[in-house]
Amino acid sequence: MTEWFTVGQIDQDTYAISEYEHWEQPNCYLLIGKTEAALIDTGLGISDIRRITDQLTKLPVRVLTTHVHWDHIGGHGLFDHISVHELEKDWLETKFPLPMDAVRQNLTCMSCRFPEGFDPASYQVYRGKASQLLHDGDCIDLGGRKITVIHTPGHSPGHCCFWEADRQYLYTGDLIYSGCLYAYYPSTDPYQFWQSVRKVRELPFRRILPGHNPLDTDLDLVDRIEAAFAQLYEENRLKQGSGVFDYQGFQIHI
Ligand SMILES: [Zn+2]
Ligand SMILES: [Zn+2]
């Protein structure tokens, strides 16, 4: 049987754990410090991601959530320490914003070789308490390795990117990736999305680690996405219902 997860090594103590078998192609990241490890997002929850992280580190793993969408929190229940932005605490605990039917539709809308024993009909979105709330500018220390929380609302109200100043890595969640960027659901805000792209653009980074799709993301993608949003704003089209706009290597759906 094919392994559900693809593990990619970014450097000596950083790994990407990806689900390329599924059309969503989510990427999670394991960052190993000296005393603790962090897992940025836990993926679809179709297969056991804890089995993978246990093979990569013996340190305690805390989960950092980019945002509370089903495809980023699927494996949260496998871990004890969950951090989420304060604005999405309620989504995680009680009020997940999307109906289960819509989640199952996304899960199964493209053909997929699910792992043996997985039944899409009984799929449930994770629900549970946050152990820690995140705020813009918070610093998480894994022992010799510091991660800064960058609040980047727009795709969702509590969306966060994570930034490692020392390595100049920027983990961008659903803010920056090659593919279709979504700002059309009721809980999105296209204008805030643009402002968040502008915010991360100011940071020094030499590697973008996206929440979906291929890992080899060009650094100028941030500039190109920013320019696309700026033009939509100029044309007075940066509002929900405007449609899908196509650019080289990405789309914006608002
Ligand atoms: Zn999302
Ligand atoms: Zn996503």
Side-chain angles (χ1 to χ4, degrees):
M1 201 185 93
T2 334
E3 171 58 71
W4 178 259
F5 294 104
T6 303
V7 178
Q9 190 157 13
I10 307 295
D11 62 28
Q12 208 187 339
D13 41 24
T14 310
Y15 296 89
I17 306 171
S18 306
E19 294 173 89
Y20 293 139
E21 295 288 318
H22 194 269
W23 70 271
E24 286 241 14
Q25 302 196 10
N27 301 308
C28 306
Y29 297 95
L30 182 69
L31 286 57
I32 303 173
K34 289 200 168 60
T35 53
E36 247 189 294
L39 180 63
I40 297 178
D41 290 342
T42 59
L44 298 165
I46 287 173
S47 188
D48 183 346
I49 195 170
R50 178 75 188 255
R51 190 171 53 79
I52 306 295
T53 58
D54 281 351
Q55 286 166 16
L56 296 170
T57 182
K58 299 289 170 239
L59 293 173
V61 175
R62 61 157 74 201
V63 170
L64 303 178
T65 312
T66 60
H67 64 301
V68 179
H69 280 168
W70 67 280
D71 49 327
H72 297 258
I73 61 168
H76 272 38
L78 301 165
F79 299 89
D80 297 327
H81 194 283
I82 307 289
S83 301
V84 66
H85 190 271
E86 55 183 336
L87 292 178
E88 290 181 16
K89 171 183 179 280
D90 293 347
W91 284 12
L92 190 73
E93 294 181 356
T94 50
K95 296 185 239 165
F96 185 74
L98 205 62
M100 258 328 283
D101 288 356
V103 170
R104 285 210 188 90
Q105 159 71 15
N106 271 314
L107 185 68
T108 55
C109 65
M110 298 219 199
S111 80
C112 176
R113 278 181 299 157
F114 286 118
E116 216 171 302
F118 175 75
D119 175 15
S122 58
Y123 183 84
Q124 291 295 333
V125 173
Y126 170 79
R127 217 173 245 195
K129 280 231 173 297
S131 324
Q132 185 190 11
L133 298 182
L134 301 174
H135 317 86
D136 188 47
D138 283 355
C139 183
I140 292 144
D141 191 345
L142 305 175
R145 187 165 189 184
K146 291 196 173 86
I147 305 163
T148 306
V149 177
I150 315 289
H151 181 216
T152 48
H155 175 72
S156 68
H159 187 285
C160 292
C161 292
F162 298 101
W163 179 55
E164 285 192 88
D166 290 347
R167 300 182 197 217
Q168 296 195 6
Y169 289 173
L170 184 62
Y171 303 87
T172 54
D174 282 6
L175 184 75
I176 305 285
Y177 54 69
S178 45
C180 191
L181 303 167
Y182 298 114
Y184 71 92
Y185 331 121
S187 52
T188 62
D189 182 327
Y191 182 80
Q192 276 195 334
F193 200 123
W194 175 34
Q195 298 311 306
S196 292
V197 175
R198 295 179 72 185
K199 184 174 180 179
V200 298
R201 195 165 159 244
E202 299 303 314
L203 299 168
F205 58 86
R206 62 178 181 86
R207 178 116 201 211
I208 295 170
L209 296 148
H212 292 272
N213 305 332
L215 300 181
D216 53 341
T217 308
D218 290 339
L219 293 185
D220 76 346
L221 184 63
V222 181
D223 289 340
R224 292 193 290 116
I225 291 173
E226 197 283 324
F229 271 101
Q231 194 188 347
L232 288 170
Y233 179 74
E234 282 297 309
E235 294 167 356
N236 202 25
R237 293 197 284 186
L238 194 57
K239 47 193 177 205
Q240 279 177 343
S242 289
V244 183
F245 299 91
D246 218 343
Y247 305 91
Q248 205 185 341
F250 68 98
Q251 297 86 44
I252 297 175
H253 187 175
I254 46 181

